[in-house]
Amino acid sequence: MSLHTFNPVPHCPGERVMPLAPLLTLPNGQRWVAQHYLRYQHTLQSVSALLAQIDFDAHTALFAGQDAGGVYLQVGLIGRENYDRSNTLRAYKLVYGRKWRIDADTPTSEIIQTAFLAIKKAREHEVRELLTVRNAAGQTSAAFSNHHDLPLLAQQRSALQPATKPAAGLTDELAVLRFAQRRITLLQQVDLAGERVLLDLQLGPAPLARQLEGDLPEFAELSFSVILPRGAWAQLPYAIMDALIAHSDRHVDETFRFRGFARFSRANSIQAIAALSLHTRPYARDLADAQFAQIFRANNYEVDASRAPALGQGALAEKNQRLIGQFADLLGHLPQGYAQAPARQTA
């Protein structure tokens, strides 16, 4: 049976329990307040305390900060200069990812997951710079890098279409690609049904200087597979990039820990997670208490309303006005300044 309490101990800093929130009894007998019955008022101090309980690796730091835009978290990566492809040992360098904003009412679990995503995206940024393409003159470019001039690419779109000359073969496509100065070799090719082909690939050994540096050991002589439409070898660099990013993401899944728990590891039982989630959501029982139901719904409405942006002015506002206007009787909270009637309140 759930019991009402006005002052249970919050699970983490920045949390407050809703008045009359019911307590759960977990399968192990522990008492708990479900996160959807908490209110959040996170600060720089509470976000810092949460990030201090996250572990990843010896080359990744998490920072919490605050500026005129509010509280944010940020990833710092300690590694080598990706664009230095010399045969000498390179000094370590500390680089920073983008700032990820944290609203005060962000649930604790979402802050932890934001740190998880920030690490993934910071690593993806580095991985994209490491897959390079060599042209006929022997020049090397990080074609998948995020540093390209997008307005220029849009202006030059016609020049970016595939050449009309005969398409390069599989061997030729692989020959011009490197990942962190490693060759990519074909182990085997398997024809599949439906005009598709499976390629088993492997990263070769790194140059001696890169081996001595020992960076990104999770990619050392990595074997991986990609699937392409038969003969569509021009898509191979994209498929390889997807596979390398997926490998980086899986490394984060298994390595990221909060309070020592690898939440995103595939060693966890998804059935057990589902069972625990269902156990913590007996809404029909909890909302049978009319007084608490009013508090719960009012809190949810207040949080959702606070997240609605302003429509603004100019071309973007006009574009969004037309987009939203296509949907009649739209539920949810419409942008502030939107011309139609405000959204109805929902449970």
Side-chain angles (χ1 to χ4, degrees), residues 278-297:
L278 291 170
H279 185 82
T280 63
R281 288 171 165 77
Y283 289 123
R285 182 200 67 186
D286 295 344
L287 298 183
D289 181 332
Q291 189 175 6
F292 174 68
Q294 183 178 10
I295 294 171
F296 175 70
R297 291 193 173 101

Side-chain angles (χ1 to χ4, degrees), residues 2-68:
S2 64
L3 300 175
H4 286 153
T5 177
F6 287 92
N7 192 32
V9 177
H11 315 314
C12 296
E15 298 176 347
R16 292 180 295 121
V17 178
M18 291 182 192
L20 302 179
L23 279 172
L24 289 165
T25 300
L26 301 177
N28 64 359
Q30 185 179 0
R31 308 306 296 276
W32 196 258
V33 179
Q35 68 170 359
H36 36 277
Y37 297 153
L38 298 175
R39 290 174 171 169
Y40 301 93
Q41 190 61 44
H42 281 291
T43 63
L44 174 58
Q45 289 70 31
S46 66
V47 172
S48 296
L50 286 172
L51 299 188
Q53 299 175 74
I54 293 173
D55 295 301
F56 184 61
D57 67 17
H59 289 255
T60 305
L62 285 170
F63 299 92
Q66 187 168 13
D67 57 20

Side-chain angles (χ1 to χ4, degrees), residues 119-322:
I119 291 173
K120 279 195 170 185
K121 288 304 175 183
R123 283 174 55 90
E124 177 182 329
H125 185 102
E126 301 302 302
V127 169
R128 286 182 171 277
E129 292 181 352
L130 291 172
L131 185 63
T132 58
V133 181
R134 190 176 70 250
N135 66 12
Q139 298 171 309
T140 298
S141 171
F144 286 95
S145 164
N146 293 310
H147 295 296
H148 293 286
D149 186 334
L150 288 181
L152 173 62
L153 293 179
Q155 196 271 339
Q156 292 288 309
R157 71 187 72 185
S158 61
L160 303 179
Q161 299 305 305
T164 56
K165 64 181 182 179
L170 173 58
T171 301
D172 293 335
E173 287 287 353
L174 279 176
V176 300
L177 299 176
R178 296 288 185 277
F179 179 74
Q181 298 178 259
R182 299 171 169 94
R183 291 181 179 273
I184 305 173
T185 58
L186 176 66
L187 299 179
Q188 70 170 337
Q189 175 178 335
V190 180
D191 288 338
L192 303 175
E195 296 298 316
R196 296 181 304 159
V197 61
L198 180 145
L199 305 177
D200 287 329
L201 305 169
Q202 184 174 40
L203 299 182
L208 180 59
R210 303 293 85 85
Q211 295 179 40
L212 294 173
E213 290 171 350
D215 291 347
L216 299 174
E218 64 273 17
F219 286 99
E221 298 188 47
L222 172 70
S223 297
F224 60 98
S225 300
V226 301
I227 296 177
L228 295 173
R230 188 173 292 123
W233 307 131
Q235 297 181 24
L236 180 61
Y238 293 95
I240 290 175
M241 186 77 270
D242 289 344
L244 294 172
I245 292 172
H247 182 73
S248 175
D249 286 349
R250 286 286 293 115
H251 177 72
V252 180
D253 293 344
E254 298 299 329
T255 310
F256 181 95
R257 280 165 169 74
F258 174 70
R259 295 180 177 175
F261 173 53
R263 158 64 182 95
F264 303 98
S265 170
R266 297 189 185 184
N268 297 322
S269 166
I270 199 66
Q271 290 80 11
I273 292 173
L276 184 60
S277 176
L278 291 170
H279 185 82
T280 63
R281 288 171 165 77
Y283 289 123
R285 182 200 67 186
D286 295 344
L287 298 183
D289 181 332
Q291 189 175 6
F292 174 68
Q294 183 178 10
I295 294 171
F296 175 70
R297 291 193 173 101
N299 179 81
N300 286 352
Y301 183 86
E302 178 184 342
V303 170
D304 290 345
S306 71
R307 293 178 178 171
L311 184 65
Q313 297 179 339
L316 180 61
E318 294 171 3
K319 180 178 180 179
N320 287 332
Q321 177 89 28
R322 290 193 300 270

